Each structure stands twice: as structure tokens, then as C-alpha cells.
Amino acid sequence: MITLNHYLILSALLFAIGTAGVFLRRNLITMLLSIEIMLNAVNLTFVAVGRYLGTVDGQIITFFVMTVAAAEAAVGLALVIALFRHRETLSPDAFTALKW
Amino acid sequence: MLILIPLLPFIGFVVNAFLGKRLPKSISGGLACAAIVGSFAVALAAVWSVVSSHHAMEQTAFTWITSGELSIPFAFRLDNLSSLMILVITGIGSLIHIYSTGYMHDEPDSEYARYFSYLNLFAAFMLVLVLGASFPVMFVGWEGVGLCSYLLIGFWFKKKSASDAGKKAFVVNRVGDFGFILAMLIIFVTFGTLDIQAVAAAAHSTYTPETAGIGVITAATLLLFLGATGKSAQIPLYVWLPDAMEGPTPVSALIHAATMVTAGVYLIGRCAVLFSLAPITLAVVAAIGTATALMAGTIGLVQNDIKRVLAYSTVSQLGYMFLAMGVGAYAAGIFHLYTHAFFKALLFLGSGAVIHALAGEQDLRNMGGLKKHLPITYWTFLIGALAIAGIPPLAGFFSKDEILWRTYSTEWPAFHLLLYGVGILTAFLTATYMFRLVFMAFHGERRHEAPPAHPEEEEPVAHAAAAHAASAHVAPSTKHGTQHAAPSTQHAHGAHIHDAPPAMAFALIVLAMGSVLAGFIGVPHAIGGNNWIETFLEPAFLAPGAVHEAAEAVHAGASVELMLMGLSVGLAAAGIGLASYFWLRNPAASAAWAQRFSGIHRLLLNKYYVDELYDAAIVQPIKGISTGGLWKGVDAGGIDFAVNGVGLGVRGSSSLLRRLQTGSIRVYAASLFAGAVVVLGYYLWR
Amino acid sequence: MLSIIVFLPLVGAVLVLLAGGRGDRPDREPLVRNLALAVSLATFAATLWLWARFDPSSGDYQFVEQHAWIPAFGIQYFIGVDGISLFLIVLTGFLTPLALLSSWESVHKSVRNFSFFMLALETAMLGVFVSIDLFLFYVFWDAMLIPMYFLIGVWGYDRRVYAAVKFILYTMAGSVLMLIAIIGLAWSYAATTGAPSFSLIDLYNVELTRQTERWMFLAFAVAFAIKVPLFPFHTWLPDAHVEAPTAGSVILAGVLLKMGTYGFLRFAFPLFPAAALEFAPWLGLLAVIGIIYGALVAMVQPDMKKLVAYSSVSHLGFVVLGLAATNMQGIQGSVYQMLNHGVSTGGLFMIVGMLSDRRHTRLISEYGGLKAVMPRLVAAFLIITLASIALPMTNGFIGEFLILLGAFKWHSTMAAFAATGVILSAVYMLWMFQRVNYGPVTNEKNSRLPDLTPREWAQMVPIVAMCIFMGVFPKVFTDPMEASITKVIDRVHSREAAVVEKTAPGFRLPASGSPNLASADTARPGASPGPQAPSELRTPSPEPRAADND
Amino acid sequence: MDFSALAFYVFAALAILASLGVVGQRNPMYSVMLLITSFGALAGLYVLLDAPFTAVTQIIIYAGAIMVLFLFVVMLLNVPREEPAPALFATLAPHGLKIGAVLSLILGGEMVWALKRLPRGWFDQDAAAQSVSSVALIGKSLFTQHAFAFEATSILILVAMVGAVVIARRGQPS
Amino acid sequence: MTDYAAIIPLSIIALSAIAAMVAEAIRRPGERMPIGGFGLIGCGGAALASVFLWDSDAQSFGVIRADNFSLFINIILCTVGILTMLFSNETIEREDIPGGEYYALTLFALCGMMMMAAATDLLVIFVALEILSLSVYVLTGIRRASAGGAEAAFKYFLLGAFSSAFFLYGIAFAFALSGSTRLEQISVALSSQPGGAPPTLAWLAVGMLAIGFCFKISAVPFHMWTPDAYEGAPTIVTAFMSTGVKAAAFGAFVRVFLSTLEPLQAQWIPLLSGIAGITMILGTVVGVVQTNVKRMLAYSSIAHAGYLMLGIISANNTGKAAVLFYLLTYAVSNLGALGIVALLGSAQNQHDELRDFAGLSKSRPGLAALMTVFLLSLGGFPPLAGFIGKWYIFAAAVQEGHYALAIIGVLTSVISVFFYLRIVVMMYMTEGAEAVRPRLPGTAVAGLTLATIAVLYLGVLPTRVLDLALASISTIF
């Protein structure tokens, strides 16, 4: 039988995979994608917990998270475009003018 | 009335210090003389009232220091001991002031006034020293005279050797003062007061020589004696006095012969009650005094600078005085102090007259045959020399023999016969070197133009002379020709040698009379005198209220005393004879002997290398440690390095840590995740 | 009224800023200078008025002003003057005009700002001395760093920035720990009474555990030791002095260093009596090391300012030694020595300033034979030098003598070692004096230096006069202190009973069977005598403290 | 093993594999596609959790809108493959990669370990399932309890719009 | 729910933001329009509204609470807003920043900040956090011509997004704990735990939320974005975000950790203590060698976050009030300092390198003096605001016996003095080339005057404000 814990662990794994995206990929867009993975992992937790507790709040929060994700994506992608205009590259390692 | 005694010279000082530059010499000099002579007059009146009333006179000027249970009034006390002292100080001081008006006459107005202001200030402080009723007030005078000595030694400040000598005097004196201060601390903590009389009373009622043992009293008296060795130029702190001869000669006479240097003797006399309770200290005093007397006497034998000979003679005579104090013959010591003041002042002033006449020449080897040019000087000088040599019936004879006799007849310290032996040997030496001086300077032929005989052998003096000459030459900006700046010109036309001018001659003659007559207040019982001086002084050495145990068995040994007297006179005569053999009749012999015993001769000539020893053992190590060890090592290399090291450490770690901020967003994210891992790990681990 | 005195210089400082006009206005310089001088003189006059109105018989705070400031934390604007602070206030008032005068010719860069900082500094210094509230004290204590920092950093010599930064960081590092201790103390007070208080008088009642008291004392002690500066916390001082402008050096040596010793006396000792007595031997030891060490290092300095700076280490060592003795002579001597050092070292710095104004160097080797060229300056130099080496009848002697006396009663060995400072001070001062002033004029540049100008006369005369006056009539100063010092001593020794046996040996020479004349009550001046008195008298008595409160 | 369990494992495996693919893929285009797959799998899980409305929203908004945005940008910028690391990071990159991956592993491990310690929760209340899947209930709750948050998101979206325009607008404002 | 009073301040700000947008929309190209005026009016209105709401303890929608605590933060934020607006005039023109968008975003950010501090619902806090974060990300990169700005914005954005994911995850666990995101319900759920041993979920929630907050306040090791973002952003934005974001984040931090999560104190105090310690040390130590003023102030801001955390760690009334007071003093001091940097800069020359300040006391004595005042206040010198703030914080820490942290705090503040003084050294003790420096607009003068008065007032007569701070925490918790 599938329990809440299954879902929670699954979401934790997805969250961890999301974090790994930052290190594994040298591409700004993929980094943004990893954030989406993390947010979705959290969403899964919300829905599962809501289901377990018998409240719709979990799903409602999920909607808010989607809105936030959309907003973040918009701004994030705009920033990616702006960066690309300056350097013609999407490699995060190219943007190290500010340091120390 | 007592206040007036130091106050008059002090006023003289103030006036001359502030207005002196604008006053002509006659006024500034006259003022200074008037101040000291006035002081002398007041002192006479005061002493008269003390003597006639048989009561010490006391006066408090104002309350000086108060703190808790400590209260130090600025008080003066005149008793028999200080009576004698103030008379010597103001009396001889007056003469020397008068002498100085002649001696310093070539100085420009401002320097002249400065000289007299210092001299007056010295008199004021010296009077405070002897009149002070408590240790701190005495200390005021004690340090004050040190200051004046410093200023006067370095009076010709452009000469490096002069200012060096001044500084040396001050610093060496400070070592003694260190002892004085510590002694005061012990005394205050022990007795709860610093009033000399009160301390004496308390000590007398609490301790006996047996109970004092090696305790507080011994510590205090030893420290006081350390102070005395500084001021009175005893081993180990005598080294400053010969150098102090860089000062003008009247200053040497007044400060470094007659008055200031005897302050140590006076101090012991003043604290006689305490010293009597500390037999160990007394033994030390006697031993040191004797050793100093001998050592200085031997050095004096070979010196070629006229003033240095006299300086070592002073050191030697001071040793005598300490010997007297050490064997408990306080009155004898003070008596010698008093007679010594006359003849030593006389000798110095006489030498000053010679130097004045020879325009700054101080080297005995360049003198000779002055007898006919300087008759007054010669005869007075001769009297002084005879007096110091102990030829009866001059002053020195009585006082010195009293000391020797008391040394011989005392029971403590146990080695008193050894002390006596050394004392009598020193008496012989004294006669020898004094007459060496007389013969070399006044007799024979003039060796005026003669160059120094053996440059390499005569190194120290040659060195001093060279420095002297060098400074005279190097200072072309000297606007006025002091007699020190003049020798080069004087060498050219050395014929004009004139005897002392009136002011100087007056002082010489008066002092010569004093040297003849001063001893008669202390004619010993053995030859029919009544030793008035001892009777007069004795109360001052006893605790207030203590009974004077006069019935000593002094008379018992009258015949022995006479015998010893004969011995010492004989030795003095022998000394004179020896001197006349070597330096009058057979000068070549002295050179031959110097050759034969060149090791000893050089040792003596170089003053046993004590200055060099101090330099190598104390001065240089301290300088070296301070520079290399403390300043560069501990301060810069240790503490400051550590302090700056903290700063550098912060900077270094800063430079290091900032490297974490690589600019790469992935590193930033790694930091964030690492933080998250740690935070979560922390929670899960708990 | 006291507030007016404290803030008068600050008001003057603002006026100076306004008078200075916008931008660089060299034409306003005289106006600014004179205004600043006038304000500082007015302040000095006011401090003298304070002295005149001071009741010397009372050991309590006088001219007290007490207003709530931050009531939630029991912080008050609580100021007052007692016999200990009175003369430090007067000293501050005395030295500031002289310091301003000393900068008359040497400071030309932005005179307006210079005068502003000098006057602001004066307010901060006065504030430190009048504060009874610890918070207020700390505010002034720290605020004082800023003007001094600017004075060193802007108007100093070559390495001024280094010195200024070192000064401020060094001192701050010490004082922030004190801040923590102050706060801790206030909370400890709150623990017993329910509300915190920073008033010194309230805080006397705090009961601390031994361990806490130790730590807090150490926190205070480090702050004050750095300011004093006590060996081995002294290394900021030579740098700061050497690089500071003359006026800065004068104030730094004259007043700022006193804050450290004042802090010990006012705060560290009475607040933590048991710890103070426990650590007093260590303080004394450091002080003695400082005396000798400072003197030895001073001896070999080639730079006059550095020499005087190290001599300050030595002199301040005496002050701390006197404090550590915690008896009447020791403390009175200490307070007196604070004043002396302010006057004489201030004077020495002025003289060095005059020389370096003329020659733009402070190296001793550059000078020589000045006595022939400027006899008046050298005469003043001589007197101040003598005061500095504690010749009797100058101020220095009174202080050192009393300190040694007090210290000797407390710990004879330390006093004996400290007394060697007497020798060493003569060595380094006279050696320097000789090299600078005596001998032939070896450096051609020195041969035509002008003697004292009228302005310099105005600086030297008060200093020299004070050196001698304070040496001859010390009672004028010591009498008003006595009552207040007695209170401090009673306070410190009130809790002594527990520790007296093991930590305060006192002076007891082995008198080989003779009756010991050092009666026990000499260790506690101001108390009624009696051989069995100590143990009774040392029991804490609340009355005297309650009397503080008016 | 019942159907729901099987479905869970299938969707879970799909989600994990697709997500791994997203972070393991060098071509961003493929990454986006794989992410859409992952989102689809999640939608399936939502259905299993009695949240059909959320599942639909997930598909429409996430997979439909947001991912299209990503795709659009990827194609707009037209950098299909990762470039090689610049010299500075050439040596550091492998280590950085390892450290980062290890961090992620630890993070995942920690979370799994923590969640394992939870008492087992069973989805056994059918009444809850009823209420949770009710869209009416969702709507009611959204506009009552969460009304403020809902309104606040309007500001959020406004900010995002303005922000995206400001950032991405080409050229200087005249 | 029926009471809208509590949202009035933030609504006013939001309206003024929209007004700014509209004004920009109807502005003809080239026309100068005082759009900042809307901001001033908005901030002033919000401040006024907050004053009127004082002691009312109003609640709206059950998720926004206008207790005195949030009102105090409102006032801090309004101060930040007003000063920012005053400094912005002309500055943004020189820096080539699009005015309408700039003002709108700034005001939206302010709105989000107020919302965040006033929210009593984790979800609303999250949304508010996103509003302010997104606005600030965009503001950071608003200068399109600047590559550094874009880089800074992206770094800030990406890391911010990561951290909000963590924060969100924390909310999820909190939600799992209580079935609600309302703080009071979470609180109830936590305190009803039997035996007091909190379950893993609570720990995870605390940890994740802490990570989210620590990121926003830039505590080590979540601080890496701060120096880059502060350096890359336009100076005026740096000024705004360093003060505003901190105030809002700390408001929420205090509210969440000291009310809701208070039962778990024993768990999070050691954790936050560790973080605070490293934050203070690293912030000051790394600041020592910085040569860029903005970057230096960024590290100083990290250190200040560490000090502020002491207030939370103390977890007593003194600590809470201290945080409020400190935020205010930090806001005026830091805004003043960075405001001056902004006023001196232009698009060509940011005037943010240390050497740019050489000789400022000659060319601009007034500005140099004010800069000194602000820096000294940041360094904690009496009698300036920063000193009272620091003292207050350390008093709170000492009260709870956190001596070690307090000592770290004071020692690091000594180190921090070193780098603040480096600027002073440059201005006063170093000769500089005569640089052309732009003239000072009147509004900026007003702003600087305001900030200076505030710094002095809070330093000399802090009583009133301290009492307010104390009162504002005692009414709510």
C-alpha cells in the first residue's frame, strides 16, 4: 500500500535531483529548469499532505506555487536573455566579473 | 628668622635669573654677594641665639605635603650641628662669591648673572639641606644642590666634556638618591613619621644596637649611606667628582670641596642615632670610607691636572670623614668636615688663581716656578697644603688626628686597627701628592711651553686636554672669550702672568687664616685642649632626651694618643720629603720610577679603570639591552609584532576567505546547499 | 551648571564650524583660531569656578545633575564631580587652550576642522570625567576616540594614518569588552532588583560571584590598561604620539592617558573590590615592569617625541602602582601624578613641537647646543625636564614620593624596583636634554633659530608656573581629594576581609624580634587607629554608600 | 500489488528518470522536453492523490504555458549545446561537479533518512478523498481563506510582467 | 475578514506604485515628470496610516495583522522608502535607469516588504517574499547597459529562487505538521505536541524556514549573493535593498521564529548561534580587504545581519525590541552612506571604488562629513544611532548569557571599524585628483538632512524610539 511517506520520499528525491542540476549543467536555462523541478517536488508534498490531512489547502497552495513559478520563470528567462545579450553565452562560468 | 637664611640667597637667585641679563656685572655680582653675606649675618645671629639659649630653633614655613596620616611641614631646625654647617656654608660661601666676582669677570653679563644665580640657588638649597627638620625637606636640599651642581658643572655647556660631567654627576647622585628615597620609605613605614628628631626619639626608645640587628634600622641606614656615597663621592659612586672639575674653579671649591660633597657626612651625623643602632652599617661606613680614602689618595699621586689632584684629594678626605662616622666619632668627622672646608676651599681657590693667571692652563706639567709670579697664591696655597697634610698646628692636623686616634681607640668595628693603618698610610700619601702638586706648580722652572712629555703614556689627560682644546676651537660662534676659549692666544704671549686680583686675594687670605686657626676649636685633651667642638656637637648625635655619657675613658690613652700624633706628623713630614725628592730635587727620578712600575703607574693614571669598568659593565649593557633587547626586540619585535600580527592575520584570512567568493554562481549555490546540508544534518543528527 | 561646562566646548565647536564658512577660507583663520581659544579659555574659567565652589570636606559627588535618559534600562544622564575628578576636569580645561596655542603656527590645513575636533574632544574628555552613569561614561569614552583619530590622522606626520588607525582600533578593542562587562553588570543588578541600572552608585550594590567579578574586573582592566597604557598594552602610544600633531600629543598625553587610570580608580576598583585586591599585585607588577621598561626603552630613542612617549609609559606605571596599593598615599599620589604628568609631559610635547616647528625634525641628533641659541626656551625646557624627573619642589616629586610611600606600605619589593625609575628617568631625560641643548651648535641650521615668541611664552609660563606651584603647595590639590579617596579606599577594602590574608601581604620587614612599629592601621588611612581595628572596619557598611545618593 | 501502487511506482519512476534526464542532458531542448515528461508524471501522481483539478492545472499551466516559455527562449537564443568550460574552470570543473553532486546526494539522503523516521501515514480516509477532490471546495477556500494571497499574486504577476519587460526590452529608452 | 484597516498601509503603497506606472505610461517621451513624488506621497501616506493604526491591532483576511510590531516595521520601511525616493531624483537619470519602472518596482517591493512583515500566514509570507524578491531582482538588473547589473541580478535571482524553494519546502513541512499555513495554528499544533519532543517534521520545517530567512538576511553561508548583487546593482538600489529587504526579512523572521516556533527554541537557538557567529566573523573579516565601497558595505551588511541575529537568539523582549531598533538605525545609517555614494556616481563612473573617495573632504566637505557620520554610526560609535543599536543588541544577548556571541560581536565590530575608517582615511587623509562631481539636487539635501537628524536623534535621544520599540513587541507576543 502506498503511504504518505512514499510521496514524501519521492518528493525529497526530486528535490535533491533539482539541486544537482546546478552542478551538473553549465547552462543557465537548465539551471532554471532545476528550480522548476524543486518547486514541483514541493508541490507534490503539498498535494500529498493535503490529501492525507483531508484539506484542499494543499492544492490551493500548489496553485500559488505555480503562479510564483510562472512569475519566476518570466523574470528568470528575461534575465537570461539580458545576459545573453551582453556575453553571447549561456555558460554560468562566463559570468564571474563580480567576485571577491 | 630661619627662613631668611635660605630665602635671602634664593631671592638673589630669582632676581639674577630673571633680571640678571639686563644688569651690569657689578650689580648682579654685588647682589649675589649681598644675598649670601646677608644670609651669613642672619645665620650668625641665629647661631648666637641657639648657642646662648641651648635650645634648638625651629620654624615651619608652611605645611608642605599631607596625605592621610602623613604630614610633612616645610620646617627648619637649627641645632648645634646645623649651626656649624650653616656657618661654614654661608661663611665660606660668601668668600667664594666674592672670589667669583673676580674669577668670572671675563664672562659676558648674561653668563655672569647666570653663574651667580646658580651659585645663590646652590647656597639656598644647601641651607635647606642642613636646616631641614624632616627627611623630605632635607631631600629637597639634597636634590636641589645636586641640581645646582649639575648646572654649575655644565656651566660652560658648549664643552661636551662639561655637560657630560654634569649629567654624570646628576645621574650618579640619583643612584644615591634612590637609596635615600627608599630609606625614607622604610623609616616612614616603620616609625610613621619623617621628622628627623621624632624618628630619632622613636628609634632610640624602641631599639638597641642588639635588637636592631639586621632589621629595619640596618636596612634604612645602609640605604641612607648609599645616598651619602652618592653625594659625598665614596666608593662605588665617587666617579662623578673628578669629572665635576669641568665646572668653574670657585664652584669646585664651594660645591665639590667645602659644602655639597660633605652633605653625606652631615646626613650620617644628622642620623647618628639611627646609625648608632646599626653596628653593621657603621662597619660598612668605616670600611668604605677608608677604602675610598686610600684609593683616591693613590690616584691623586699621579694625576697631572691640578684640579683633578685636588678632586681626588677631596674624595680621599671625605673618606676620612666617613671613617670617623663609621667608628662612631661623629664629632670628629664633622670637625674634619669643618676644617676641610677651609683648607680645601683655599686650595681650590688657589688653584683657581693659578688657572686664572695661566688663562686656563690646568696641566701641572706645563706649570712650574710660579712662586715668584704669584706670591699671594703661593703662600696661601702652601698654607692649605700644610693644613691638609696634617702639619701642626694647622687646622687639618687637629681634625685628622682626632679621627685617627678615635679609629685606633674604638672597639667597633673589629678591624679598626687595619682601618687605622690604612688611614695613616693615606695621611702619608696625602702629604706626598699635595706637595707634589706644590712643587710641580710653584717650584722649579717653568715648563710652560713644554709639550706633553709622553703622549701615548699620558693618554687620559692628553685626551682631556685634547677634548678641551678641541671644544675651544670648534666653537667659533662663542661670542665672548672665556678664559677657556683663550689658551691658544695665551700660549703665544705667555709672559703676562699676574697674581690674583683683589677680590680673589681677599678670599684666599681669609681662607688661609681660617686654615690656620680653624683647628683650635678642637684641640684634643691629650695636648691640653678641651675639644670644645666635640662638646658642642655631641648633643646633636644623641636622641632627644638621651643622657650624654660624657665620661668616656678617652683620657686614659693620652700617652698613646700623643705617640700616634707624633707618628702621623712624622709620616706627613716624610711624605713632604718624598715629594721634594721626586719632584723638586730630582724630577728625573719620578719619571724613572714611573717607568719601572709602569703597570701600577698606568693603573693609577687611569684611575683603576673604574670608569671604563662601569661603562663596560653597566652603561653599555643597559644601552645594548634597551636598544636591541627591549626596544627592537620586545617592543617592536614582540608586542607590536603581535599586535600588528593580529591585524595582518585578519588581513591575511580576509584575503584568503574572499577567494571563496569566486564569482561563479555554482560555487555560490554549493555554499548555499552546503549550508542547507549542515542545517538539516544538524537537526537530524540531534 | 556642570552640563554647561561639559558642553560649552561642543557649542563652541559648532560655532567654529559656522564661523569657518564654506569651503577653504584662509581669511577666516584668525577668527576661527581666536574663537576656539576664547571658548577653551571660557571653559577653563568655568572649571576654575567649579573648583572654587567645590566643597573639599565632602567626599560625595557635587554639582550633581541627574535626569532619566533611557529609563527602560535605568540609564541616566547622571553627572557630578568629586575630589578625584575635579582636578582632572581642571586639567582638561587648562591644557586645551595651551594645546590650541601650540597649534597656532603649525596647523594651517583646515583650521576650522582642527579647532572643531579639539573642542569636541574637550567635551568628550570632560564628559568622561563627570559621568557617574556607566553608560554615559562609555558614550563619552568611545566618542572621544573620533576627534582624536582625526587629529592624528589629518594633521599628523608621515605615518599618521597608520598611527591613527592603530590608536583607534587598539583602544576600541579594549573598551568593547568593557562594554560587555558594563551590560552584564547592569543585568546583574536587574537580577536582584528587577530593573537594570547603569548608575555607579546603584551598581555598588550588585552582588557578584567571585568568578563573575573576576571576569568583569578583567574586562574593565584591559580597557583601562590599554588606555593608560600599561605594559604590555603600550605599543600604540609611541606611534600615536610620534605621528600626532603637537596639540594632539599634548592632549593625548595630558588628558587621554589619565582616563585609563581614572577608570581604574573610579570604576574598576570600587565596582569589583574583591577582584581588584586579588589582581592588584599583578597590576602592580605590570606597572613596575612598565616603569623600568618604559624608561629603558625611552633611553635609547633617537626621536624626542618617542622618547617622551615611552617616558609616559614609565610615568603612568607609577600611577598604576599607586592605585594598586589602594591606600591613601598611593592613590593620592596617583591622582596627583596624573595631574603632574599632564602638566609636565604636556609641556614637553609643546617644547618638542616648538623645536619641530622650527626645524621640522624631532631627531635628537639633529639638534645640539640650543642653549646658546635660544636660552629662554631651553630654560623652560630645563624646568619641565626637572619636573618630569621628579626633582623636589617640582610637581613630579610629590606624586612619585606619595606613590612610592603608598606602594612601599603595600608591597615593599615592588616599591623598591619602582624607585629605580628615579635613576632611569634622570638618565634618559638628562641625556636627551644634554644632546639637544648642550655642547656646541653642530648643525648650522640650528644656529639662528628664534627664541620663544610671545605666543610660546603664553604656553610655557603657565606650564612652568604649575610645575613649580604644584611642587611647593601640593596641599591645595591634595586636600580636596582626600575625602573622595577615602571613600574609594573604604569601598575597596570593605570586602577585603575574605581575601586580605592571601593577597595583600603588605610590608613587613623581618624585624628580628623587635616590636613591629608598622601599626596595622597605617594600611588603612583615614580610619580610626587601633591594632585590632582592621577586621571590624572592613565589614561592609551600607551607610557611606547610601550617602552617595544625594 | 494493487493498481494504484503500481501506478504510483510507474509515475514515480518516470518522474525521477525524467528529472534525472533534465539535469543529465546537455541539450537544453531535450531538457525542456524531459521536464514536460516529468510534469506529466507528476500530474498522474496528483490524480492518484485525488487531486484531478490540480493535475489538470499542472498540465495546462506548467507543461503548457511555462514550458513553452522555456522552449521559446531556448529556441530564441539558439544555443543548443553546452559550450566547453572556460580555461579557468577547466581544472576545477570536475571537482566542482563532484562536490556539487555529493552535496545533492547528501541532501537527498538526509531528507530520505529523516522522512523514513516519520510514523507511517496511510491514505485511508475516504471522506477526506471526497472533500479533497471537490473543485467547489477548492474554489470556496481559495476565495475566502486565501483571498488575500490570491489578490497579492496579482501584484506578483504585475511585478513579473513589468520586470520581464524592463529586463528583456532591447535598446535604450528614448 | 471584514476589517480592511490592516492592509491600508500596503494598499497605499501598491496604489502609488500603480500610479507611477500609469504616469510613466502617459508620459510623453522626453517629458520630465516627478514620478518619485507618487512614491513620496505613498510612503508618507503609509507611514501616516501606520501611525493612525497604532495600538489598534487590526487584522485583515486573517492573514495580515497590523499589530504594533508590523507597524513599526512599516515605519522603518517608509523611512527607507522616503529616503530612497529623495535620493533617487536625478540620480537615476544620471545612471540611465528607466524612471517609471524604477519607481513602480521600488514601490511594489516596498509593498511586498510590508506584506511580509505583517503577514501571519506562511503562504502570504511566501507570496510577499516573492513580490519583493522579484522586484529587487529586476531592480538589480535594471540598468540594461550594465553587464555587471545583469550578472548580479541573475546571481541574485537564481540563488534567491533556490532559497525560496527551500523556504517553500519548509512551509510544506509546517503545513504537514498542522494542516494549515496560519502561524497561530502551527503554533497551536506545535505546543500541543506531547512530551515536548518535536517530531522530525517540525525540525525539517524549522531548518528549511531558517535557510530561507538566512538567505534573505544574507547570513553565512547563504550570503554569497550579497557582495555581488550589492556591487552590481545601481547604488541607489543597493541602498534600498540592503535596508528594506533586511527589515522585512527580519520582521518575518522574528515573527515566525519568536512566536510560532518559540516552543522549539532549544532546537534552533544553537543553530542560529552558530550561524550568527560565523556571519559576524566572516562579514567583517572579508570586508577588511575590499576596495569597492559597495562591496565593502555588502560585507558590512552581512556582519550586521549577524548582529541582528543576536536579537533573535536572545529570544527575549529586549532582543525583539533591539532588532526593531537596530533595523531602524541600520536603515538610516546605511541608506545615508550608500545614498551619498549614489549621489556622487553616474553611469560612467559609479564612484564606488575606495580611491574615488580620495580628497572628498576637499571638494565636498559637507558630503564627506556626512559620510563620516554615517560610517561611524555603522561602526557603532557614540553618540550616533548605530552605537545605541549595537548596545541594545548586545544588551539583549548578555541578558540571556550569550557572552561568547556578544564578545564576538564587539570584537568584530572593532574590525569593522577598520574598514569603515578606510573610507574616512581616503576622504580626509589622502590627496585625490580633482574629480568632477555632480551637483546635489535639493531633494537629496533634504534626504541627507533627514538621515543625519535621524542618526543623531537616535543616538542622543533614543528613549522615545526605544520605548516605542519595546511597546511594539510587548503588545503582540
Side-chain angles (χ1 to χ4, degrees), chain D residues 7-142:
Chain D
F8 171 78
Y9 284 117
V10 169
F11 284 130
L14 190 58
I16 287 181
L17 287 177
S19 300
L20 282 175
V22 171
V23 299
Q25 185 52 251
R26 280 172 186 272
N27 189 329
M29 185 77 85
Y30 297 159
S31 290
V32 174
M33 289 312 200
L34 282 168
L35 189 57
I36 292 173
T37 315
S38 170
F39 287 167
L42 281 178
L45 290 173
Y46 293 159
V47 172
L48 287 181
L49 285 169
D50 295 319
F53 183 67
T54 310
V56 171
T57 335
Q58 171 87 358
I59 300 288
I60 295 172
I61 297 182
Y62 250 131
I66 302 179
M67 285 304 116
V68 167
L69 186 62
F70 271 93
L71 262 184
F72 176 72
V73 172
V74 169
M75 294 168 79
L76 173 79
L77 300 182
N78 197 21
V79 270
R81 298 189 64 83
E82 260 174 38
E83 310 145 59
L88 175 64
F89 291 94
T91 51
L92 280 175
H95 300 290
L97 196 128
K98 271 183 218 150
I99 294 169
V102 166
L103 276 177
S104 297
L105 267 180
I106 298 175
L107 191 69
E110 276 178 359
M111 303 234 354
V112 169
W113 183 72
L115 294 170
K116 282 242 185 205
R117 289 172 54 178
L118 285 177
R120 297 226 146 188
W122 301 90
F123 299 105
D124 49 2
Q125 304 126 318
D126 285 335
Q130 283 299 318
S131 62
V132 167
S133 58
S134 155
V135 178
L137 220 53
I138 293 176
K140 202 168 162 193
S141 180
L142 183 60

Side-chain angles (χ1 to χ4, degrees), chain B residues 156-165 243 246 305 308 360-363 365 452 458-476 478 482 484-487, chain C residues 434 439-440:
Chain B
W156 288 305
F157 57 86
K158 285 178 193 148
K159 266 173 73 181
K160 177 154 189 319
S161 56
S163 62
D164 273 344
D243 289 4
E246 292 286 346
D305 184 302
R308 279 183 184 258
E361 183 56 68
Q362 297 196 12
D363 195 329
R365 287 164 299 179
E458 313 293 339
E459 194 184 344
V461 174
H463 176 257
H468 169 197
S471 63
H473 287 297
V474 168
T478 314
T482 66
H484 280 259
Chain C
Q434 180 206 3

Side-chain angles (χ1 to χ4, degrees), chain B residues 62 64 67-69 143 157-158 163-164 167 174 185 189-190 207 622 626-627 630-631 635 639-640 644, chain C residues 162 166 232 234-235 293 296 299-301 310 329 332 389 409 422 431 434 439-440 471-472 474 482 507 517:
Chain B
F62 55 92
W64 186 29
S67 175
E69 77 280 18
E143 288 250 314
F157 57 86
K158 285 178 193 148
S163 62
D164 273 344
K167 186 193 71 190
R174 271 266 157 162
L185 301 183
V189 171
T190 313
Y207 295 98
I622 287 183
S626 299
T627 313
L630 297 182
W631 177 31
D635 221 51
I639 301 167
D640 215 33
N644 288 339
Chain C
Y162 167 76
K166 190 170 180 178
H234 64 278
T235 52
Y293 179 89
L296 287 177
M299 194 161 69
V300 292
Q301 294 304 320
Y310 276 108
Q329 286 82 25
Q332 203 160 35
I389 61 179
K409 278 162 70 171
V422 170
W431 193 27
Q434 180 206 3
V472 180
E482 196 141 339
F507 170 71
L517 281 188

Side-chain angles (χ1 to χ4, degrees), chain E residues 235 293-294 337-345 350-352 357 371:
Chain E
T235 312
V293 172
K294 276 154 78 180
L338 280 169
I340 289 176
V341 181
L343 289 170
L344 289 167
Q350 287 267 295
H351 202 281
D352 58 354
F357 283 82
M371 185 77 183

Side-chain angles (χ1 to χ4, degrees), chain B residues 221-238:
Chain B
T221 47
L222 275 176
L223 287 166
L224 282 175
F225 178 58
L226 177 62
T229 58
K231 193 80 18 188
S232 295
Q234 297 296 294
I235 292 175
L237 300 180
Y238 71 94

Side-chain angles (χ1 to χ4, degrees), chain B residues 360-381:
Chain B
E361 183 56 68
Q362 297 196 12
D363 195 329
L364 282 172
R365 287 164 299 179
N366 296 339
M367 298 180 186
L370 295 175
K371 190 167 96 176
K372 53 185 175 294
H373 297 289
L374 308 172
I376 300 175
T377 310
Y378 171 67
W379 287 109
T380 51
F381 199 92

